[in-house]
């Protein structure tokens, strides 16, 4: 899938941040937040004239002009689980969060035999700051949906099939590793109420949003359209290639794994097994049985197989 971005822009849970958190005004680096969403209406199609003659073919600006412009639909029925976030959509054996971490972090350390990121360094697209990834209770990196899932729900995603929503929720173009604090400040805001603090990344950020909305037949609200158009008119236009995941075990891996596969026998009591009669001494046994990865609640799952405690053993 080819998608469009803009030149002049530098690209680079356990704690899962509530996407719908509302940021306070002094946390927002751009316009203040309108506390009320655009009122939904069935016949509120925007009839403004949009001159696409100066927009390059397949550019973000051209795609913006091809989007419907109307008010948000009600949020009734919204649930993040409807988007299958973190599913292994590409079947590479790694969940989406770790795919993003392996793509966006440098100098990463992987769990032995899998693709769970244990350590690494991030240079944030949103701020330009560089810092080390802290895994566990001190987690300082979130995976941001560039088009927030609740925003997507209110601008057409509730009309998609489940498989289409899962694809949207795990699309590489719509996902970036960023600081948890910045992700909280964004919440579920659109481009009319929040833009990255790093001004040189705003063109690409808005282009990503437009690409996602264009690919999944979502719409934009009138204030969102105005904010996007105003920004893009000051940006150069160009096309970029696919934003894909590294393969299993791939990424910028430079460090030695912290863990080795379990070799010594482990008793059922020590393992914390909840396998319902199925027991694997170690991950080698689980893989030989074709059972890896083993998820919490699955036959054979045990804490001795889940070294990082994320609910997935033998990743």
């Amino acid at each position: 899938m080819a998608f469009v971005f803009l030149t002049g822009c530098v690209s680079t849970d356990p704690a899962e941040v509530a996407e719908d958190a509302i940021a306070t005004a002094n946390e927002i680096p751009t316009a203040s937040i309108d506390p009320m969403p655009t009122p939904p209406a069935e016949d509120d199609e925007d009839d403004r004239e949009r001159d696409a003659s100066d927009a390059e073919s397949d550019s973000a600006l051209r795609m913006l002009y091809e989007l419907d412009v109307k008010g948000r639909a009600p949020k009734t029925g919204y649930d993040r689980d409807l988007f299958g976030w973190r599913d292994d959509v590409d079947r590479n054996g790694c969940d989406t969060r770790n795919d993003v971490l392996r793509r966006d972090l440098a100098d990463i350390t992987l769990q032995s035999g899998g693709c769970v990121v244990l350590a690494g360094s991030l240079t944030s697209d949103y701020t330009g700051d560089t810092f080390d990834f802290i895994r566990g209770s001190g987690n300082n990196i979130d995976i941001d949906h560039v088009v927030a899932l609740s925003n997507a729900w209110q601008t057409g995603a509730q009309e998609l099939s489940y498989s289409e929503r899962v694809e949207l929720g795990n699309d590489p173009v719509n996902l970036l590793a960023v600081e948890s604090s910045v992700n909280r400040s964004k919440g579920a805001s659109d481009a009319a109420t929040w833009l990255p603090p790093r001004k040189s990344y705003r063109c690409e950020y808005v282009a990503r949003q437009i690409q996602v909305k264009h690919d999944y037949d979502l719409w934009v609200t009138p204030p969102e359209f105005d904010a996007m158009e105003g920004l893009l008119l000051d940006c150069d236009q160009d096309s970029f290639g696919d934003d894909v995941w590294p393969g299993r075990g791939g990424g910028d891996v430079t460090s030695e794994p912290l863990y080795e596969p379990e070799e010594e026998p482990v008793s059922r009591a020590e393992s914390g097994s909840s396998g319902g009669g199925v027991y694997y001494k170690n991950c080698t046994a689980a893989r030989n049985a074709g059972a890896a990865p083993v998820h919490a609640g699955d036959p054979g799952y045990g804490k001795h197989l889940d070294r990082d405690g994320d609910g997935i053993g033998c990743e």
Side-chain angles (χ1 to χ4, degrees), residues 37 82 131 185 215 237 240 243 249-250:
L82 294 171
F131 54 92
S185 78
D215 286 349
Q237 300 174 48
F240 285 64
D243 194 6

Side-chain angles (χ1 to χ4, degrees), residues 198-267:
R198 184 185 177 204
K199 292 182 179 180
S200 62
Y201 191 72
R202 291 178 180 178
C203 291
E204 180 170 338
Y205 175 79
V206 167
R208 281 179 179 264
Q209 289 188 325
I210 293 170
Q211 177 73 54
V212 171
K213 294 210 167 193
H214 191 272
D215 286 349
Y216 295 95
D217 296 322
L218 309 181
W219 67 76
V220 292
T221 66
E224 187 179 11
F225 174 90
D226 291 341
M228 288 176 162
E229 182 187 42
L231 181 66
L232 293 181
L233 289 174
D234 290 331
C235 298
D236 295 328
Q237 300 174 48
D238 202 353
S239 59
F240 285 64
D242 291 340
D243 194 6
V244 298
W245 307 130
R248 181 178 177 85
D252 186 17
V253 182
T254 62
S255 303
E256 291 296 322
L258 298 181
Y259 299 127
E260 294 298 330
E262 183 71 58
E263 296 294 344
E264 296 299 322
V266 179
S267 70

Side-chain angles (χ1 to χ4, degrees), residues 174-209:
N174 197 32
L175 298 167
L176 290 173
V178 300
E179 301 96 326
S180 299
S181 58
V182 176
N183 193 37
R184 291 189 186 102
S185 78
K186 173 187 172 181
S189 301
D190 61 22
T193 54
W194 192 92
L195 291 171
R198 184 185 177 204
K199 292 182 179 180
S200 62
Y201 191 72
R202 291 178 180 178
C203 291
E204 180 170 338
Y205 175 79
V206 167
R208 281 179 179 264
Q209 289 188 325

Side-chain angles (χ1 to χ4, degrees), residues 270-287:
E270 292 173 334
S271 72
S273 175
S274 58
V278 179
Y279 174 74
Y280 302 115
K281 179 180 72 173
N282 51 41
C283 284
T284 299
R287 292 190 183 98

